[in-house]
Amino acid sequence: MKQLNGNKQMKDVWKLSAIAKWEKSCGKHPTQKPLSVLTRIILASTKPGAWILDPFTGSSTTGIAANLLNRRYLGIDMETEFLEISKNRKLEIEKPSIAESYRKKINGFETKKQLELYLVNEPKTEYSLDLEL
C-alpha cells in the first residue's frame, strides 16, 4: 500500500469521494458504497486471483472492484431487485473500454494512471485447490 501512497505508510483515515453518478449507471442501492473505498480495501487485503465472498452483495460494488482489480468474486443476496442491478453492472464492465474508463475514474490515487500501473506490476500469485484430506 505504500507504493500507492507516495512510498509513505497509509494512514488509518481515508479521504475519498462519495459515490459518483457513473457508479449508479445500472440503478441505485440504498446503502451503496463508493467504488474507491472497496478498491482500496481489496488492494490492501488480497492478491491477484484471490476469491472474495460477499454474502450481502447488494449492488455488487465489492464485485465490481474485485473484477476491475483482477480478483474473483462470489456475491449472494436475497433481493432480486439488487441482484438485477449487480448483473447489469457486471455485464457493463465486461466491455473492456468501460472497465478501463472505470479504473481511470476511481479516486484515491495520486494520478489517473497510478492504479493501472500498479495492477500491471502487481506480483501474480498462483492459487491452487488442494482437496486431499
Side-chain angles (χ1 to χ4, degrees), residues 58-121:
S59 61
S60 288
T61 301
T62 302
I64 299 307
N67 289 169
L68 292 173
L69 301 173
N70 306 314
R71 274 64 172 173
R72 295 178 281 183
Y73 176 77
L74 176 62
I76 303 166
D77 207 291
M78 291 176 38
E79 300 293 330
T80 55
E81 173 189 354
F82 300 139
L83 289 172
E84 196 62 33
I85 293 171
S86 296
K87 183 177 90 175
N88 290 334
R89 291 182 82 192
K90 170 65 173 150
L91 291 171
E92 185 177 60
I93 65 161
E94 284 180 355
K95 298 173 185 156
S97 62
I98 291 178
E100 182 181 339
S101 84
Y102 275 25
R103 280 189 206 95
K104 288 178 182 174
K105 291 178 183 179
I106 296 171
N107 292 320
F109 299 98
E110 293 174 349
T111 67
K112 294 288 181 191
K113 289 197 168 251
Q114 188 181 20
L115 176 58
E116 290 280 348
L117 293 171
Y118 180 81
L119 293 174
V120 167
N121 295 314

Side-chain angles (χ1 to χ4, degrees), residues 15 30 34 38 41 90 96 114 129 131:
K15 294 178 183 179
L38 277 300
I41 290 168
K90 170 65 173 150
Q114 188 181 20
L129 184 60
L131 296 177

Side-chain angles (χ1 to χ4, degrees), residues 24-62:
K24 300 177 186 178
S25 62
C26 296
K28 297 179 183 179
H29 186 277
T31 62
Q32 187 171 337
K33 313 300 179 284
L35 191 55
S36 57
V37 171
L38 277 300
T39 297
R40 188 166 295 181
I41 290 168
I42 289 169
L43 287 175
S45 60
T46 65
K47 295 178 181 173
W51 275 100
I52 297 169
L53 170 66
D54 185 354
F56 306 99
T57 195
S59 61
S60 288
T61 301
T62 302

